[in-house]
């Protein structure tokens, strides 16, 4: 039995019987970033028939088959967030009521009150409602335990290191030594060169060659190969 999906990605079977997860042929539609958690068993029973096509080709086939959605505009939303309002979805799904809390500077000084941590993202600058006499302020971190939003200057958003949990290795084996690869820490980011070091059966650390902006806990870090294998997904996990 196979699972057949419309995700834009490709699966390739190697001579040794193992499966590779690869980017879609159309880089503008590639969805490999969200598929890094697939296992060898799942890849063996999954098909991505759109992986070698671009969107124009897909629409042509849909039109030839008289599909009602052949000309439907591309969706920009997650399926369970139909109106794009993520804060409403969080409250609805988790029965969560946002609570006001402190805006804190990097040295712990309280400079205002936020309306609830779910309304803010790391790197955010607009709609903070804070006085900024010494220059622009950005969300640097969010502390759920203190219900606090930490703000600071733009340069505080940049760092080279990151820790990752809940790791999955596409090969099914944890690498036995640090290795160089390309890493994406958000869906639309261009993959960046880094050194990845396995730190446990399902954890690893990342050291980027260059500082990266707004590395955000909860986002996925997805690893890709180098050279002729930049379209090959090595694995990934959740940023801590």
């Amino acid at each position: 039995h196979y699972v057949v999906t419309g995700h834009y990605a490709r699966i390739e079977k190697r001579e040794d019987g193992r499966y590779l997860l690869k980017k879609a042929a159309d880089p503008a539609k590639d969805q490999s970033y969200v598929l890094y958690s697939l296992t060898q068993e799942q890849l063996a029973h999954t098909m991505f028939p759109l992986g070698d096509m671009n969107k124009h080709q897909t629409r042509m086939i849909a039109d030839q088959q008289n599909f009602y959605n052949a000309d439907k505009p591309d969706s920009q939303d997650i399926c369970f967030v139909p109106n794009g309002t993520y804060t409403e979805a969080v409250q609805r799904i988790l029965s969560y009521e946002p609570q006001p809390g402190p805006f804190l500077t990097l040295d712990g000084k309280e400079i205002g009150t936020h309306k609830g941590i779910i309304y803010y993202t790391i790197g955010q600058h607009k709609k903070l409602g804070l006085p900024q006499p010494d220059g622009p302020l950005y969300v640097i971190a969010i502390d759920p335990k203190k219900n606090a939003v930490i703000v600071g200057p733009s340069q505080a958003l940049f760092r080279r290191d990151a820790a990752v949990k809940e790791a999955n290795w596409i090969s099914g084996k944890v690498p036995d030594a640090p290795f160089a690869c390309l890493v994406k820490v958000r869906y639309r980011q261009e993959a960046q060169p880094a050194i990845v070091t396995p730190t446990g059966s399902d954890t690893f650390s990342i050291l980027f060659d260059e500082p990266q902006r707004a590395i955000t806990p909860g986002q996925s870090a997805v690893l890709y190969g180098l050279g002729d294998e930049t379209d090959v997904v090595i694995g990934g996990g959740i940023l801590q």
Side-chain angles (χ1 to χ4, degrees), residues 31 46 51 62 79 86 93 107 119 123 133 145 154 162 164 169 182 185 191 220 228 234:
Q31 293 176 298
T46 302
C79 58
Y86 299 95
I93 295 169
D107 58 4
Y119 293 105
K145 292 182 179 179
S154 177
V164 177
W169 303 99
L182 299 175
V185 293
S220 297
D228 295 334
I234 299 171

Short mmCIF file of all heavy atoms in Angstrom, two decimals, residues 31 46 51 62 79 86 93 107 119 123 133 145 154 162 164 169 182 185 191 220 228 234:
data_model
loop_
_atom_site.label_atom_id
_atom_site.label_comp_id
_atom_site.label_asym_id
_atom_site.label_seq_id
_atom_site.Cartn_x
_atom_site.Cartn_y
_atom_site.Cartn_z
N GLN A 31 8.67 21.49 -1.25
CA GLN A 31 8.14 21.34 0.10
C GLN A 31 8.95 20.35 0.94
O GLN A 31 8.47 19.86 1.96
CB GLN A 31 6.67 20.90 0.05
CG GLN A 31 5.75 21.95 -0.53
CD GLN A 31 4.32 21.46 -0.67
OE1 GLN A 31 4.05 20.51 -1.40
NE2 GLN A 31 3.40 22.10 0.05
N THR A 46 5.58 5.73 0.04
CA THR A 46 5.05 7.05 -0.28
C THR A 46 5.39 7.41 -1.72
O THR A 46 6.46 7.05 -2.22
CB THR A 46 5.65 8.12 0.67
OG1 THR A 46 5.35 7.77 2.03
CG2 THR A 46 5.08 9.49 0.37
N GLY A 51 6.34 15.74 -7.92
CA GLY A 51 7.70 16.17 -7.60
C GLY A 51 8.55 16.56 -8.79
O GLY A 51 9.46 17.39 -8.66
N ALA A 62 -4.69 19.03 -14.53
CA ALA A 62 -5.98 19.22 -13.85
C ALA A 62 -7.03 19.74 -14.83
O ALA A 62 -8.20 19.31 -14.80
CB ALA A 62 -5.81 20.18 -12.68
N CYS A 79 -3.92 24.59 6.37
CA CYS A 79 -5.29 24.13 6.15
C CYS A 79 -6.21 24.42 7.33
O CYS A 79 -7.40 24.69 7.14
CB CYS A 79 -5.30 22.64 5.82
SG CYS A 79 -4.56 21.58 7.09
N TYR A 86 -3.37 33.25 12.82
CA TYR A 86 -2.81 32.16 13.61
C TYR A 86 -3.16 32.28 15.09
O TYR A 86 -3.35 31.28 15.77
CB TYR A 86 -1.30 32.12 13.42
CG TYR A 86 -0.89 31.88 11.98
CD1 TYR A 86 -0.60 32.93 11.13
CD2 TYR A 86 -0.85 30.59 11.48
CE1 TYR A 86 -0.27 32.70 9.80
CE2 TYR A 86 -0.52 30.35 10.16
CZ TYR A 86 -0.23 31.40 9.32
OH TYR A 86 0.09 31.16 8.01
N ILE A 93 -7.91 26.06 19.10
CA ILE A 93 -7.48 24.66 19.18
C ILE A 93 -7.05 24.29 20.60
O ILE A 93 -7.33 23.18 21.08
CB ILE A 93 -6.33 24.41 18.18
CG1 ILE A 93 -6.84 24.58 16.75
CG2 ILE A 93 -5.73 23.02 18.38
CD1 ILE A 93 -5.75 24.61 15.70
N ASP A 107 18.70 43.27 29.74
CA ASP A 107 19.22 43.24 31.11
C ASP A 107 18.11 43.12 32.16
O ASP A 107 18.34 43.30 33.35
CB ASP A 107 20.08 44.49 31.40
CG ASP A 107 19.32 45.80 31.20
OD1 ASP A 107 18.10 45.75 30.91
OD2 ASP A 107 19.96 46.86 31.31
N TYR A 119 1.00 36.83 20.39
CA TYR A 119 0.88 37.89 19.38
C TYR A 119 2.24 38.37 18.86
O TYR A 119 2.30 39.29 18.04
CB TYR A 119 0.13 39.09 19.97
CG TYR A 119 -1.32 38.80 20.26
CD1 TYR A 119 -1.76 38.61 21.57
CD2 TYR A 119 -2.26 38.69 19.24
CE1 TYR A 119 -3.09 38.34 21.85
CE2 TYR A 119 -3.59 38.41 19.50
CZ TYR A 119 -4.00 38.23 20.81
OH TYR A 119 -5.32 37.96 21.07
N GLY A 123 12.12 38.55 16.08
CA GLY A 123 12.46 39.38 14.94
C GLY A 123 11.44 40.47 14.65
O GLY A 123 11.70 41.37 13.84
N PRO A 133 13.31 55.52 22.21
CA PRO A 133 14.13 56.72 22.08
C PRO A 133 15.58 56.44 21.69
O PRO A 133 16.27 57.29 21.14
CB PRO A 133 14.05 57.36 23.47
CG PRO A 133 13.78 56.20 24.38
CD PRO A 133 12.89 55.29 23.60
N LYS A 145 7.63 30.88 30.56
CA LYS A 145 7.55 30.68 32.00
C LYS A 145 7.29 32.00 32.73
O LYS A 145 6.55 32.05 33.71
CB LYS A 145 8.83 30.03 32.51
CG LYS A 145 9.02 28.60 32.05
CD LYS A 145 10.28 27.98 32.64
CE LYS A 145 10.45 26.55 32.19
NZ LYS A 145 11.69 25.93 32.74
N SER A 154 18.60 45.33 16.88
CA SER A 154 18.62 44.36 15.78
C SER A 154 19.81 43.41 15.86
O SER A 154 19.68 42.21 15.58
CB SER A 154 18.65 45.10 14.45
OG SER A 154 18.74 44.21 13.37
N ALA A 162 23.03 26.94 17.32
CA ALA A 162 21.67 26.52 17.62
C ALA A 162 21.70 25.06 18.07
O ALA A 162 22.57 24.28 17.66
CB ALA A 162 20.78 26.67 16.39
N VAL A 164 19.24 21.51 18.55
CA VAL A 164 18.08 20.90 17.91
C VAL A 164 17.69 19.63 18.64
O VAL A 164 18.55 18.84 19.05
CB VAL A 164 18.38 20.59 16.43
CG1 VAL A 164 17.20 19.90 15.77
CG2 VAL A 164 18.73 21.88 15.68
N TRP A 169 16.90 11.37 11.10
CA TRP A 169 17.90 11.21 10.04
C TRP A 169 17.28 10.36 8.94
O TRP A 169 16.85 9.23 9.19
CB TRP A 169 19.16 10.55 10.60
CG TRP A 169 19.75 11.33 11.73
CD1 TRP A 169 19.61 11.09 13.07
CD2 TRP A 169 20.55 12.52 11.63
NE1 TRP A 169 20.27 12.04 13.81
CE2 TRP A 169 20.86 12.94 12.95
CE3 TRP A 169 21.04 13.27 10.55
CZ2 TRP A 169 21.63 14.06 13.22
CZ3 TRP A 169 21.81 14.39 10.82
CH2 TRP A 169 22.10 14.77 12.13
N LEU A 182 24.29 22.09 4.39
CA LEU A 182 23.51 23.32 4.29
C LEU A 182 22.29 23.19 5.19
O LEU A 182 21.70 22.11 5.27
CB LEU A 182 23.07 23.57 2.85
CG LEU A 182 24.19 23.75 1.82
CD1 LEU A 182 23.60 23.86 0.41
CD2 LEU A 182 25.03 24.97 2.14
N VAL A 185 16.55 27.19 8.48
CA VAL A 185 15.85 27.30 9.76
C VAL A 185 14.48 27.95 9.60
O VAL A 185 13.81 28.24 10.59
CB VAL A 185 16.68 28.06 10.82
CG1 VAL A 185 17.91 27.26 11.21
CG2 VAL A 185 17.07 29.44 10.31
N ALA A 191 19.15 27.87 2.08
CA ALA A 191 19.96 27.04 2.97
C ALA A 191 21.36 27.63 3.14
O ALA A 191 21.97 28.09 2.17
CB ALA A 191 20.05 25.62 2.42
N SER A 220 11.60 24.44 12.48
CA SER A 220 12.39 23.29 12.07
C SER A 220 13.73 23.72 11.49
O SER A 220 13.82 24.73 10.80
CB SER A 220 11.64 22.48 11.00
OG SER A 220 10.44 21.95 11.52
N ASP A 228 27.01 18.26 -5.31
CA ASP A 228 26.00 17.71 -6.21
C ASP A 228 24.78 17.20 -5.46
O ASP A 228 23.84 16.68 -6.09
CB ASP A 228 26.59 16.56 -7.04
CG ASP A 228 27.68 17.04 -7.99
OD1 ASP A 228 27.64 18.22 -8.38
OD2 ASP A 228 28.56 16.22 -8.33
N ILE A 234 19.11 15.50 4.36
CA ILE A 234 19.84 14.62 5.27
C ILE A 234 19.00 14.29 6.51
O ILE A 234 19.01 13.18 7.02
CB ILE A 234 21.17 15.27 5.70
CG1 ILE A 234 22.05 15.50 4.48
CG2 ILE A 234 21.90 14.41 6.73
CD1 ILE A 234 23.29 16.35 4.79
#
